[in-house]
Amino acid sequence: MDDSRHKTPARLAMVRLPSTPGFWRSPVRGVRFTAVLGAVLLAGITLLFVTGLLSYASYNPDLAAVNDKTPGKGLLGFYLFAWPTGPHWLYRLTQGLHVTVGIVLVPVLLAKLWSVVPKLFVVPPARSAAQALERASLLLLVGGVLFEFVTGLLNIQLEYLFPGSFYPLHFYGAWVFVGGFVAHVGLKLPRTLRLLRHGVPPTETDELAAPTPAPPTLSRRGALAVVGAGSLLLLVTSAGRSFDGPLRRIALLTPRGGAEPGEGPNGFQINKTAAKAGIVLADTQERWRLTLVGPAGEVRLTRAQLLAMDQHSAALPIACVEGWSTSDQWWRGVRLRDLAALAGHTDGREPDVLVESLQPSGPFRTVALRDNQVADPRSLLALGVNGEELSPDHGYPARIVVPAAPGVMYTKWVARMTFGGVR
């Protein structure tokens, strides 16, 4: 039975909507509380953006199309530069910071969005064209930051639920978000700094404070402490997968955290097994040959011939775009610059090289390395690791290792290397 006729004006007044001033009653909300969270996000998101750009540059996307997973970048690639090979832990540091800081900022971001949610329901939505523009930019800002954090966290957890490739989605999404972020910071930073220094002046109204607050159960300092404790918990349980130390064994909230997956020289982390990559193990045994292409034509080498060449060692980690890394592993094999000379580049100038894997398909079955990467004495075609030959899952019969490069450029199951003519 419809009883709407029995609702008196007094009873209707008790119905609260999100747009009703008394709907939001938390005594924690306030502009200074939001300003503190905003200052943390300003520093953290700036670091995320810079390290994200460095991660993209580390692939040397302007070297060859096979390295560029974000085609059509145009002017957005203005900053690209030849990625260096030193220090050897460079990519491990920059990408480790990118992923770890992103995870740690999640409680701060959620608290910041919670603190300003009443403003999303203000009626009327805008009282002027300028205010309408500002609110539209906020939608872009909020939508952008949620998109970047969600896609980033899904990638870290190896859950590719989003349509298309992660690389262009995250790259272009970052630029769209940063446009709104810079505009928002330009508008809000002066007031944020004043609030942090002096609080809310007596002459101003705290537009985020509840007009009729509920009895307090937690102070604003206590709320900030809860947010900080959440971030600290995420730091402790995730940072170890990117950095050596006692935290590695308790990095339990992320894939490839915790203890190493195996024992012995080949017991360290594996991104993709031989079976998952579609490697036919018979192709890696007696009939395997490494083909070198260069001015000398094609040179085909057996594994025994490679082992008969001068062998060199390098201590290098594997660092992945997903944020995990290994400790330094002792790789042993033939220097890339020695293979370049064998292919006919004997003028002392190292060429670029195109490396192809036995892997039948996949976005990084072929990668290009710059001349500075070929020239580095630590860049190897590795035949063994930690005193033993490579296991099939770690790339037997041969794999690439290059200092400071992303792990996807440590090509496994190498079959062909073309020196020169990459560009």
Side-chain angles (χ1 to χ4, degrees), residues 236-241 247-258:
V236 169
T237 54
S238 63
R241 73 181 203 147
L247 294 180
R248 183 171 287 274
R249 286 189 169 272
I250 57 173
L252 304 177
L253 294 185
T254 55
R256 302 191 176 90

Side-chain angles (χ1 to χ4, degrees), residues 5-311:
R5 65 180 182 275
H6 297 297
K7 291 183 179 179
T8 64
R11 291 178 64 187
L12 288 172
M14 296 176 63
V15 177
R16 290 180 176 175
L17 300 174
S19 57
T20 306
F23 183 86
W24 307 98
R25 301 190 61 203
S26 172
V28 173
R29 286 190 179 93
V31 290
R32 197 162 192 268
F33 176 77
T34 300
V36 172
L37 297 172
V40 175
L41 287 175
L42 173 60
I45 288 176
T46 301
L47 179 61
L48 291 181
F49 184 63
V50 171
T51 53
L53 293 182
L54 290 176
S55 179
Y56 181 54
S58 69
Y59 287 80
N60 286 319
D62 54 341
L63 174 61
V66 294
N67 287 11
D68 190 1
K69 304 307 172 187
T70 56
K73 60 187 177 297
L75 295 177
L76 297 181
F78 70 93
Y79 71 95
L80 295 175
F81 56 94
W83 187 252
T85 58
H88 74 278
W89 39 259
L90 178 61
Y91 186 75
R92 183 184 183 189
L93 174 65
T94 59
Q95 192 62 12
L97 283 174
H98 183 76
V99 171
T100 302
V101 171
I103 293 173
V104 168
L105 284 181
V106 168
V108 184
L109 175 65
L110 294 178
K112 173 73 185 300
L113 294 177
W114 172 84
S115 74
V116 299
V117 71
K119 298 197 73 173
L120 298 178
F121 298 94
V122 171
V123 177
R127 293 182 174 84
S128 66
Q131 190 178 29
L133 185 62
E134 179 186 358
R135 288 181 68 81
S137 70
L138 284 177
L139 290 177
L140 183 66
L141 181 73
V142 173
V145 74
L146 289 177
F147 178 83
E148 286 300 287
F149 270 76
V150 169
T151 55
L153 290 171
L154 287 174
N155 183 66
I156 293 167
Q157 295 295 331
L158 313 180
E159 297 289 348
Y160 302 104
L161 304 179
F162 36 81
S165 171
F166 167 76
Y167 296 94
L169 287 173
H170 205 64
F171 177 77
Y172 291 120
W175 281 105
V176 171
F177 162 68
V178 163
F181 181 68
V182 170
H184 184 71
V185 170
L187 290 170
K188 299 296 185 181
L189 184 59
R191 188 177 184 222
T192 296
L193 294 177
R194 287 197 303 271
L195 289 170
L196 292 176
R197 291 171 181 166
H198 309 296
V200 182
T203 56
E204 290 186 15
T205 301
D206 189 334
E207 66 268 23
L208 292 177
T212 54
T217 57
L218 186 69
S219 68
R220 287 174 180 167
R221 287 186 178 181
L224 290 174
V226 169
V227 173
S231 291
L232 180 61
L233 177 63
L234 291 176
L235 175 66
V236 169
T237 54
S238 63
R241 73 181 203 147
S242 300
F243 305 101
D244 283 335
L247 294 180
R248 183 171 287 274
R249 286 189 169 272
I250 57 173
L252 304 177
L253 294 185
T254 55
R256 302 191 176 90
E260 297 289 9
E263 298 179 353
N266 280 275
F268 53 96
Q269 291 289 348
I270 297 168
N271 188 29
K272 186 182 296 183
T273 64
K276 187 174 181 180
I279 298 298
V280 177
L281 293 183
D283 293 339
T284 68
Q285 302 301 316
E286 292 299 322
R287 66 190 184 198
W288 176 84
R289 298 292 184 273
L290 172 68
T291 301
L292 305 180
V293 181
E298 285 195 1
V299 179
R300 291 169 60 81
L301 300 170
T302 65
R303 195 169 190 276
Q305 288 173 315
L306 288 167
L307 286 168
M309 296 177 64
D310 290 340
Q311 302 292 298

